[in-house]
Amino acid sequence: MTLRESIIQKLEDNGFRITGSRVKLVDSLIKHEEGFTAEELVTEVREAGRATVYRTIRLLVDQGVLCKLAMDSGAPRYTVSGMAHHHHIICVHCGSVREFRQTVIERALKSMEDDDGDTVVGHRIEVFVLCAACRAAGAKVDSIRAEHQHS
Amino acid sequence: MTLRESIIQKLEDNGFRITGSRVKLVDSLIKHEEGFTAEELVTEVREAGRATVYRTIRLLVDQGVLCKLAMDSGAPRYTVSGMAHHHHIICVHCGSVREFRQTVIERALKSMEDDDGDTVVGHRIEVFVLCAACRAAGAKVDSIRAEHQHS
DNA sequence: TGTCATTTGATACTCAGTTTCATCAATTGA
DNA sequence: TCAATTGATGAAACTGAGTATCAAATGACA
């Protein structure tokens, strides 16, 4: 079963209708290997209206198909979530997003549980990089490091 | 030197004027132990206009005094950053924010560097909790866990 | 105290996303 | 097979958060 099929299957299984707009949107977003913004989809999928694009994205996030990623500034990016639990590597220059998983970190975070009366319900890890492609294209790390306190 | 004094000092040292609005805003935001939103400050500090509040927050983020925290939904929260490098524990119920630091995790993330041609410039870790206060007030974990894929 | 660059704030604007509601389409059931 | 029902759509108006503009005010320093 392809990714496309499995997404459509999931919607069908959960009682949502498979409409033309939804199929067009799924077709478009699975092409975005490195994530996309809502407005990118609005522009790309002219067959679907603004409201439908936003509604469909929300639906897919709710269904666990998409992963919403709030950026420090600008609109959030969405990625098709391959792994059930994962984190993100984000290029600070082009905004592209990749998934990763690091069991050492998972274990360390687990060990924090109940340290001071709070109940841990989850966590999120984002690693900011200058991706190989951007570096090759001449982007320099220094100007970026300054505006990213995350270091 | 108090926190208030050190913030004002920093602005002065960097050539910014110490105006009535800025002092009022600093006075207000240092009271928010658990973070605040821009609109909260707009409401609280009637002596300063909307634009000034937003400008001052941006200035303080630039100066490293405040830490901007993009939320999954809704406006970002700001915290006075005590430690130079730290991460956040966020209550998914009330939105309050606390800082933490975990050297094990730092080390694990450092070891990821240069795994696949990307240059790591920073990272961010957020731990989502139901804080002790909210749990005591009767908030239940289960309803929250569902909507937070972060687990 | 005067000078003047910096800061302010009212207002208008932009941008991202949501609501509304009339219309349309997919499913149900007779 | 054909209504009836319910869910989905989209144009447009709206909301909320934040920014730009620009004349007026003000803090720093001579």
Side-chain angles (χ1 to χ4, degrees):
Chain A
M1 186 152 64
T2 65
L3 177 59
R4 179 197 137 103
E5 285 165 355
S6 70
I7 294 170
I8 291 171
Q9 184 75 63
K10 185 173 231 169
L11 291 182
E12 212 162 11
D13 290 351
N14 290 301
F16 298 100
R17 292 183 180 169
I18 307 309
T19 66
S21 297
R22 283 176 180 167
V23 172
K24 290 259 165 53
L25 283 167
V26 169
D27 280 340
S28 178
L29 63 85
I30 58 178
K31 287 197 206 110
H32 289 264
E33 280 285 319
E34 319 258 270
F36 57 89
T37 63
E39 287 303 315
E40 278 168 26
L41 276 205
V42 171
T43 308
E44 272 174 41
V45 186
R46 314 308 298 266
E47 297 94 338
R50 245 182 108 60
T52 301
V53 172
Y54 277 93
R55 275 187 295 236
T56 304
I57 288 175
R58 193 156 20 127
L59 172 65
L60 292 175
V61 171
D62 290 348
Q63 296 300 309
V65 170
L66 291 180
C67 206
K68 181 179 182 174
L69 198 54
M71 308 303 276
D72 236 32
S73 64
R77 287 185 77 87
Y78 299 88
T79 55
V80 180
S81 49
M83 299 175 257
H85 180 65
H86 61 266
H87 298 296
H88 295 107
I89 297 174
I90 305 156
C91 177
V92 291
H93 193 255
C94 69
S96 78
V97 177
R98 287 183 300 118
E99 297 183 354
F100 81 98
R101 201 161 183 175
Q102 242 279 25
T103 41
V104 180
I105 297 167
E106 305 297 326
R107 256 181 272 126
L109 284 169
K110 274 246 156 48
S111 73
M112 287 182 59
E113 298 232 12
D114 301 317
D115 259 14
D116 31 28
D118 299 340
T119 309
V120 177
V121 298
H123 64 261
R124 173 162 58 197
I125 302 173
E126 283 150 25
V127 175
F128 299 95
V129 302
L130 181 64
C131 75
C134 284
R135 207 184 46 231
K140 58 273 156 276
V141 177
D142 295 344
S143 61
I144 292 160
R145 225 182 259 276
E147 65 199 50
H148 268 262
Q149 312 291 57
H150 316 293
S151 58
Chain B
M1 187 153 64
T2 65
L3 176 59
R4 179 197 137 103
E5 284 163 355
S6 70
I7 294 171
I8 291 170
Q9 183 76 62
K10 184 172 231 169
L11 292 181
E12 214 162 10
D13 289 351
N14 290 300
F16 298 100
R17 291 189 178 164
I18 306 309
T19 66
S21 296
R22 284 176 179 165
V23 172
K24 290 258 166 55
L25 283 166
V26 169
D27 281 340
S28 178
L29 63 86
I30 57 177
K31 287 197 204 111
H32 289 265
E33 280 285 320
E34 319 258 271
F36 58 90
T37 63
E39 286 304 315
E40 277 167 28
L41 277 205
V42 171
T43 307
E44 273 174 41
V45 185
R46 313 310 297 266
E47 298 93 338
R50 246 183 107 60
T52 301
V53 172
Y54 278 92
R55 275 187 296 235
T56 305
I57 288 175
R58 190 152 27 121
L59 172 65
L60 293 175
V61 171
D62 289 348
Q63 296 299 309
V65 170
L66 291 180
C67 204
K68 181 179 181 173
L69 198 54
M71 308 303 277
D72 236 32
S73 62
R77 287 184 76 87
Y78 299 88
T79 55
V80 181
S81 49
M83 298 174 259
H85 180 66
H86 61 266
H87 298 296
H88 294 108
I89 298 175
I90 304 156
C91 176
V92 292
H93 194 255
C94 69
S96 77
V97 178
R98 286 183 300 119
E99 298 182 354
F100 81 97
R101 198 159 186 177
Q102 242 279 24
T103 42
V104 180
I105 297 167
E106 305 297 325
R107 255 181 273 127
L109 283 170
K110 274 247 156 50
S111 73
M112 289 182 59
E113 298 232 12
D114 300 318
D115 258 14
D116 32 29
D118 299 341
T119 309
V120 177
V121 298
H123 64 261
R124 172 161 58 197
I125 302 173
E126 282 149 26
V127 175
F128 299 94
V129 302
L130 180 64
C131 75
C134 284
R135 207 183 48 231
K140 56 274 158 279
V141 178
D142 295 344
S143 61
I144 292 161
R145 225 183 260 275
E147 65 199 51
H148 269 260
Q149 312 291 60
H150 318 292
S151 58

